[in-house]
Amino acid sequence: MSVLVYTESEQGNFKKTAFEVASYAKTIAEKMGTSVTAIAINADNSSELGNYGVDKVLNVSNDNLKSFNAKNYAETIVQASQKENANVVVVSSSADSKYIAPLVAVGLNAGYVSNVVEAPSSVSPLTVKRSAFTNKAFEITEINTDIKIIGVSNNSFGLVEVTGNASEEVFSPSLSSSGVTIESVDKASNKVSIADADIVVSAGRGLKGPENWGMIEELADILGAATACSKPVSDLGWRPHSEHVGQTGKPVASNLYIAIGISGAIQHLAGINASKVKVVINTDAEAPFFKAADYGVVGDAFEVVPALIEKLKTFKSQQ
Amino acid sequence: MKILVCISHVPDTTSKINFTEENTKFDSNGVQFVINPNDEFGLTRAMWFKEKQGAEVTVVNVGTSETEPTLRKALAIGADGAIRINTPATNSFSVAKQLANVAKDGAYDLIIAGRESIDYNGGMVPGMLAALIDANFVNNCINLDVEGSDAKATREIDGGKETVSTTLPLVIGGQKGLVEESDLRIPNMRGIMMARKKPLTVVEANETSKETTSISFEKPTPKGAVKLVASDNIDELVNLLHNEAKVI
Ligand SMILES: Cc1cc2nc3c(=O)[nH]c(=O)nc-3n(C[C@H](O)[C@H](O)[C@H](O)COP(=O)(O)OP(=O)(O)OC[C@H]3O[C@@H](n4cnc5c(N)ncnc54)[C@H](O)[C@@H]3O)c2cc1C
Ligand SMILES: Nc1ncnc2c1ncn2[C@@H]1O[C@H](COP(=O)(O)O)[C@@H](O)[C@H]1O
């Protein structure tokens, strides 16, 4: 018996979500009276995982796994689960983990529940709470299979630091061809992605045109935030589709979401509601976003945003 | 090329979400159901293949007779035939297994599903289906070209996109980008008339499995009132975000 957690890294460094899923795995393992094994692919310094409750790390390095491919990554997790006799497998909600998890579920004949927002309310039967209907509701679900897979929603559980040491072991899965070959990757390396961001600065049609996004990017820069936009803004070609957030775009579950010149249509709110703190800046006090936000400024973005940038610069310089 | 498009039947995006029977069942009272938006992009891409390269397009849904208007709509948009697997869709793994039976029987070259459904948001069915039938799989697919048995796809990744090459048989989890919003089709009169004559085959489900069970639903707790900050007092906003919300 054990809990296996897939801890993702990027260029050798663990992502923040890796520590979050490790913390989650530790909580389940404690409830079940067992230990946590992490599987780390191409990570440089696995000992960090000990600080989040991991007891043992399987370090995988394999030429077939140098760049991401879902089938081989999934197969690696399947083989590790079998080796460790895992009865629970924990993964994050990153695009890659969501790609892999259904494949692992079939490989292990395991029930899988995605978008889980809390620690299980019971481990026997394993009962979890997940978000559904694009954050308009929660669903309580039981997993009935012997092996169970939990996909943890980003920023929902947080990090739990402990003092501990993780032992390390090399693990070599046996892999065959993945069937899908990466030809090219187009990724802005200096930008924070919406999925990984603690803070997201988002703007809508209220900004009038693409030429006005300079101040949005500057604000995002100061906050170390990702930039996002409403659907019409990407449909109009003012911003790339990859920035479109909402029910039919990317989901956002950041700690802080700042909405500028966005009315707050139901489809927009559904996709961003999982964010912890929401700020709205809008000229129209009647805009529906004010009902969903924690903090609001009724005012013109072209005055409020530059003022906010100045104040934040001062604030940051005093930190 | 034989294409299968998986269609999930979901509440329209503006729907109010409520539950009945002590919060154990979705309340469909007054709710309008539509083709899942991600599947609508996929279906339109399938029509593109049909018109530009020649393809036979079948749509499939796992559901009760209530989902038939949604399948008819897909036929009116231009699919050649529809299959309904007659069982309520209660668990993604089971849905994927039912779809896998149909997919194997029909020997499809390309199976287009959506990245996720907007009701259950599982994001599970396409990957499970691909694994069950041992087909290649590209998720978050925003562009797809097929040449003979080779496929080139672009998929969205966190912070960018990547282009991959693969071969048929292929399953994709598609989303906006597969076609533009403006290319989406609304069924016209002729399409609706023609759809009536197209085959909608009902097949009985194989034994259904129960990997997961939905126990009940909860609605989020209502939010407190917004705290307004005057537009000439932005210092106060910075202060609140730092000291009260503790997010900067
Ligand atoms: C099936 C479907 C799916 C959809 N999915 C999504 C989705 O995923 N994501 C999404 O975002 N939308 C989605 N939509 C669209 C959604 O219904 C709204 O149309 C959209 O969110 C509105 O975008 P907006 O707020 O940028 O623009 P608008 O509604 O035009 O709002 C602009 C706002 O800016 C304010 N404003 C104007 N000038 C200023 C200024 N100088 N300073 C400050 N504020 C100003 C205005 O008061 C207004 O509130 C979907 C719609 C449908 C039908
Ligand atoms: N009941 C169903 N019948 C047919 N296809 C489905 C069904 N449920 C989900 N799908 C397909 O799987 C995709 C992802 O759904 P989900 O895994 O529920 O998020 C959808 O966009 C559909 O293409």
Side-chain angles (χ1 to χ4, degrees):
Chain A
M1 197 163 88
S2 72
V3 175
L4 187 85
V5 58
Y6 169 48
T7 45
E8 274 174 282
S9 56
E10 196 163 20
Q11 278 151 0
N13 301 315
F14 286 111
K15 292 186 168 193
K16 193 183 115 192
T17 53
F19 302 134
E20 187 171 25
V21 288
S23 303
Y24 191 97
K26 178 66 178 175
T27 301
I28 299 188
E30 273 174 355
K31 287 191 183 203
M32 298 194 337
T34 182
S35 61
V36 178
T37 303
I39 177 131
I41 300 177
N42 306 328
D44 292 339
N45 184 9
S46 303
S47 62
E48 278 177 281
L49 292 173
N51 302 333
Y52 299 93
V54 172
D55 301 291
K56 176 162 103 182
V57 186
L58 300 179
N59 279 313
V60 184
S61 60
N62 181 312
D63 281 347
N64 285 326
L65 301 172
K66 282 237 156 60
S67 56
F68 175 79
N69 74 74
K71 197 173 173 188
N72 280 341
Y73 273 50
E75 187 53 35
T76 302
I77 297 171
V78 167
Q79 290 178 20
S81 305
Q82 286 160 344
K83 170 179 161 356
E84 290 297 303
N85 204 2
N87 33 12
V88 179
V89 178
V90 182
V91 300
S92 81
S93 290
S94 70
D96 287 353
S97 284
K98 282 197 157 178
Y99 191 175
I100 298 171
L103 308 179
V104 177
V106 171
L108 295 171
N109 197 17
Y112 161 43
V113 177
S114 60
N115 305 328
V116 171
V117 296
E118 279 177 7
S121 58
S122 141
V123 288
S124 177
L126 190 66
T127 311
V128 288
K129 180 170 171 176
R130 65 184 297 272
S131 97
F133 296 95
T134 352
N135 298 314
K136 290 178 193 167
F138 297 105
E139 182 187 30
I140 313 297
T141 305
E142 261 176 37
I143 313 182
N144 312 319
T145 42
D146 292 342
I147 306 176
K148 301 154 178 83
I149 306 179
I150 297 179
V152 182
S153 204
N154 286 0
N155 280 323
S156 64
F157 188 72
L159 307 181
V160 185
E161 287 196 53
V162 297
T163 43
N165 275 314
S167 65
E168 296 187 37
E169 207 176 278
V170 174
F171 177 63
S172 309
S174 69
L175 301 170
S176 53
S177 148
S178 75
V180 176
T181 313
I182 299 179
E183 302 281 329
S184 62
V185 180
D186 175 8
K187 186 168 170 171
S189 55
N190 54 346
K191 282 198 75 177
V192 188
S193 77
I194 292 171
D196 292 330
D198 283 329
I199 304 179
V200 173
V201 175
S202 188
R205 202 148 54 179
L207 279 226
K208 314 278 190 277
E211 66 281 6
N212 297 325
W213 249 262
M215 63 181 186
I216 302 300
E217 288 186 338
E218 190 178 355
L219 178 59
D221 255 3
I222 295 170
L223 291 167
T227 50
C229 69
S230 67
K231 178 169 176 286
V233 165
S234 70
D235 286 345
L236 289 163
W238 295 359
R239 301 294 291 175
H241 283 312
S242 55
E243 285 197 1
H244 160 198
V245 296
Q247 190 161 16
T248 53
K250 281 210 172 75
V252 181
S254 54
N255 283 328
L256 172 61
Y257 183 79
I258 305 181
I260 302 161
I262 297 178
S263 58
I266 186 166
Q267 299 95 348
H268 185 88
L269 296 178
I272 60 96
N273 244 339
S275 295
K276 295 234 165 58
V277 176
K278 281 151 276 191
V279 176
V280 54
I281 299 170
N282 196 306
T283 41
D284 177 8
E286 301 296 315
F289 213 119
F290 284 99
K291 291 211 171 65
D294 302 277
Y295 302 100
V297 182
V298 179
D300 185 343
F302 296 97
E303 287 159 21
V304 175
V305 175
L308 182 57
I309 289 171
E310 286 319 306
K311 302 294 180 194
L312 282 169
K313 276 186 184 157
T314 316
F315 166 77
K316 291 277 174 185
S317 66
Q318 289 162 353
Q319 290 295 296
Chain B
M1 179 161 61
K2 283 187 78 181
I3 305 178
L4 183 68
V5 184
C6 303
I7 302 280
S8 171
H9 158 93
V10 299
D12 161 56
T13 56
T14 56
S15 306
K16 295 267 181 298
I17 304 298
N18 291 305
F19 303 97
T20 59
E21 298 180 34
E22 294 178 345
N23 287 326
T24 58
K25 292 248 148 40
F26 176 70
D27 183 358
S28 56
N29 217 330
V31 170
Q32 196 180 340
F33 282 84
V34 295
I35 299 176
N36 183 43
N38 288 319
D39 303 344
E40 211 179 344
F41 289 110
L43 176 61
T44 310
R45 189 65 190 171
M47 297 321 326
W48 185 94
F49 283 120
K50 177 178 159 152
E51 284 155 19
K52 296 283 187 322
Q53 296 182 205
E56 184 193 322
V57 178
T58 306
V59 291
V60 60
N61 170 262
V62 179
T64 60
S65 58
E66 282 166 33
T67 72
E68 286 195 4
T70 300
L71 285 175
R72 286 275 172 218
K73 185 178 172 196
L75 291 171
I77 287 172
D80 301 299
I83 300 171
R84 180 171 67 79
I85 306 173
N86 188 26
T87 182
T90 48
N91 142 20
S92 303
F93 209 147
S94 179
V95 166
K97 286 179 179 170
Q98 301 300 334
L99 291 171
N101 292 332
V102 164
K104 277 186 209 146
D105 287 347
Y108 295 93
D109 305 293
L110 174 63
I111 300 179
I112 302 180
R115 173 196 65 173
E116 70 168 21
S117 55
I118 60 166
D119 54 352
Y120 192 71
N121 304 121
M124 300 182 189
V125 170
M128 288 177 168
L129 173 58
L132 288 167
I133 62 171
D134 204 19
N136 288 321
F137 174 48
V138 175
N139 205 12
N140 301 94
C141 187
I142 53 172
N143 190 48
L144 177 68
D145 291 309
V146 177
E147 241 353 286
S149 63
D150 292 324
K152 206 165 217 123
T154 309
R155 74 175 195 100
E156 204 163 87
I157 56 177
D158 290 340
K161 54 188 177 186
E162 77 186 14
T163 305
V164 300
S165 59
T166 183
T167 52
L168 305 182
L170 171 68
V171 178
I172 64 160
Q175 60 187 63
K176 181 170 116 175
L178 271 181
V179 297
E180 288 304 318
E181 181 95 13
S182 52
D183 297 332
L184 293 178
R185 299 174 185 195
I186 297 160
N188 57 23
M189 211 48 206
R190 186 161 166 268
I192 294 168
M193 298 301 287
M194 285 181 43
R196 293 197 187 142
K197 297 198 201 86
K198 290 179 181 172
L200 194 166
T201 314
V202 179
V203 301
E204 288 310 317
N206 278 17
E207 203 182 331
T208 51
S209 53
K210 265 211 162 303
E211 290 80 7
T212 56
T213 314
S214 175
I215 305 294
S216 62
F217 296 93
E218 284 172 16
K219 302 244 281 186
T221 38
K223 227 182 146 51
V226 61
K227 219 176 234 187
L228 289 179
V229 176
S231 62
D232 56 2
N233 191 13
I234 297 302
D235 266 330
E236 177 61 8
L237 180 62
V238 173
N239 173 37
L240 287 168
L241 291 178
H242 180 59
N243 291 315
E244 189 178 84
K246 300 191 173 19
V247 285
I248 60 170

